[in-house]
């Protein structure tokens, strides 16, 4: 069943994907984006975007990537670390592809040298190379962390020729802190926290407005309070609760969504137990 037609929405408002059409600029998301854009533009070398699970790090990273890709002065790309056991070869090859190396087959014979030459070529063309690494908390291998530090030593006439932006949950900082030399090179750091009650309201209102709907006819103020409380202000959980509540409301033809419905939905998602059990599950 699809609730969009019931609510006369043009498309799904609460899908859990980092869709830039829905980007809601809270102060902290805006600030994060600004700081990272600045770090990229000034080629600061090394910047971090850290935050708790589901607070919007990947969404900000995608927005940043879209901005950098649009500008011809950047050579950029996003690497997502899906697991911890990746090899140097895999990482070097991904960096090589992003910086436009045509042939990466012989890269591992002398990776730093080959990549550096290409970075210098890009610098001569006036391009700033910015590599984004999402899920960088999976960079647990100190050897690979050291290789990233190695890149940061590359400078040409006092100009850096590569900037890394690492994105991840707080564990990322623990890995970085182990490498003092890398830690000292952090030129910008931004931390995403959960949304406040007002930001949660604004977030839901904005998403509904994008699909042509009005919050006051869909959620009662009390229901928004509860959504904030059960989600802890984490956007991913806000989406999940709202999505389930809209489905329920359309099925029961009961509008607006009230606090009782949010209680039921949160219970069925297992969020109520967590609140009282001091244990948080991430959906
Ligand atoms: N500022 C925002 N505007 C609109 N939607 C957002 C925003 N922040 C987060 N979201 C939504 O919340 C969901 C979770 O966000 P995202 O995947 O960016 O979180 P994350 O911090 O990268 O999570 P994880 O720690 O699991 O990697 C996204 O799918 C997106 O739909
Ligand atoms: Mg993410």
């Amino acid at each position: 069943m699809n609730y969009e037609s019931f609510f006369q929405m043009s498309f799904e408002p609460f899908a859990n994907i980092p869709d830039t059409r829905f980007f809601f600029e809270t102060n902290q998301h805006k600030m994060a984006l600004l700081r990272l854009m600045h770090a990229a533009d000034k080629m600061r070398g090394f910047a971090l975007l850290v935050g708790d699970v589901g607070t919007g790090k990947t969404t900000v990273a995608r927005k940043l990537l879209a901005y950098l890709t649009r500008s011809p002065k950047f050579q950029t790309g996003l690497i997502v670390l899906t697991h911890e056991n990746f090899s140097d070869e895999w990482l070097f090859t991904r960096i090589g592809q992003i910086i436009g190396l045509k042939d990466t087959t012989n890269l591992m014979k002398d990776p730093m040298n080959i990549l550096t030459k290409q970075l210098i070529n890009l610098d001569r063309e006036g391009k700033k190379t910015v590599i984004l690494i999402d899920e960088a908390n999976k960079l647990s291998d100190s050897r690979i962390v050291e290789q990233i530090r190695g890149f940061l030593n590359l400078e040409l006439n006092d100009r850096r020729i590569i900037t890394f932006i690492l994105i991840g949950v707080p564990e990322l900082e623990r890995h970085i802190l182990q490498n003092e030399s890398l830690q000292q090179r952090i030129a910008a750091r931004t931390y995403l926290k959960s949304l406040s009650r007002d930001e949660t309201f604004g977030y839901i209102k904005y998403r509904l407005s994008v699909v042509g709907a009005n919050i006051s006819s869909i959620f009662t103020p009390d229901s928004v309070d509860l959504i904030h409380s059960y989600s802890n202000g984490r956007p991913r959980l806000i989406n999940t609760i709202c999505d389930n509540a809209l489905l329920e409301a359309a099925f029961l033809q009961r509008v607006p969504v009230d606090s009782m419905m949010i209680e039921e939905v949160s219970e069925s998602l297992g969020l109520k137990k967590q609140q009282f059990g001091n244990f948080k599950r991430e959906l």
Side-chain angles (χ1 to χ4, degrees), residues 186-205:
I186 301 172
R189 172 188 179 272
T190 174
Y191 198 101
L192 290 184
K193 296 185 300 227
S194 297
L195 306 189
S196 66
R197 157 64 176 81
D198 286 352
E199 286 171 335
T200 302
F201 178 83
Y203 176 91
I204 297 172
K205 184 174 170 203

Side-chain angles (χ1 to χ4, degrees), residues 27-232:
N27 279 343
Q28 56 160 348
H29 286 96
K30 201 160 33 182
M31 200 59 215
L33 199 52
L34 262 173
R35 283 203 185 121
L36 298 177
M37 278 176 181
H38 184 74
D41 198 43
K42 300 283 180 213
M43 289 297 276
R44 291 284 190 245
F46 190 49
L48 296 183
L49 171 60
V50 186
D52 294 329
V53 176
T55 46
K57 300 179 296 297
T58 299
T59 307
V60 170
R62 297 282 164 134
K63 190 85 183 161
L64 175 69
L65 185 69
Y67 163 80
L68 298 177
T69 315
R70 268 199 307 274
S71 163
K73 67 181 178 191
F74 292 106
Q75 180 83 22
T76 188
L78 172 69
I79 300 175
V80 183
L81 304 182
T82 48
H83 56 85
E84 292 188 3
N85 303 320
F86 59 89
S87 60
D88 323 20
E89 180 171 0
W90 180 83
L91 186 65
F92 283 139
T93 305
R94 286 292 295 119
I95 294 175
Q97 287 162 345
I98 290 173
I99 66 178
L101 267 190
K102 300 246 167 351
D103 181 10
T104 53
T105 40
N106 291 320
L107 179 62
M108 289 319 281
K109 287 193 180 140
D110 192 359
M112 275 315 259
N113 198 12
I114 298 172
L115 292 173
T116 305
K117 278 193 183 137
Q118 176 67 3
L119 288 169
I120 292 173
N121 288 341
L122 288 169
D123 181 81
R124 291 215 174 102
E125 288 168 27
K127 295 240 184 191
K128 302 177 184 189
T129 298
V130 180
I131 310 276
L132 279 62
I133 305 186
D134 197 3
E135 306 273 340
N137 40 288
K138 299 206 171 78
L139 271 174
S140 54
D141 184 339
S142 54
R143 216 170 28 90
I144 296 193
V145 172
E146 183 55 24
Q147 275 157 354
I148 291 190
R149 192 195 62 78
F151 275 107
L152 300 179
N153 287 340
L154 301 177
E155 280 179 14
L156 195 70
N157 304 330
D158 292 336
R159 254 199 335 274
R160 285 202 188 79
I161 53 177
I162 189 163
T163 284
F164 284 97
I165 297 181
L166 266 49
I167 301 130
V169 291
E171 200 188 341
L172 160 64
E173 291 195 294
R174 284 197 282 282
H175 300 318
I176 302 295
L177 291 180
Q178 282 171 13
N179 188 315
E180 199 190 330
S181 163
L182 192 55
Q183 189 203 347
Q184 286 189 9
R185 285 174 165 78
I186 301 172
R189 172 188 179 272
T190 174
Y191 198 101
L192 290 184
K193 296 185 300 227
S194 297
L195 306 189
S196 66
R197 157 64 176 81
D198 286 352
E199 286 171 335
T200 302
F201 178 83
Y203 176 91
I204 297 172
K205 184 174 170 203
Y206 179 68
R207 280 192 169 255
L208 289 172
S209 73
V210 172
V211 299
N214 190 329
I215 187 167
S216 55
S217 54
I218 298 188
F219 289 104
T220 64
D222 285 359
S223 72
V224 175
D225 287 342
L226 274 183
I227 295 169
H228 177 249
S229 149
Y230 285 124
S231 65
N232 263 317

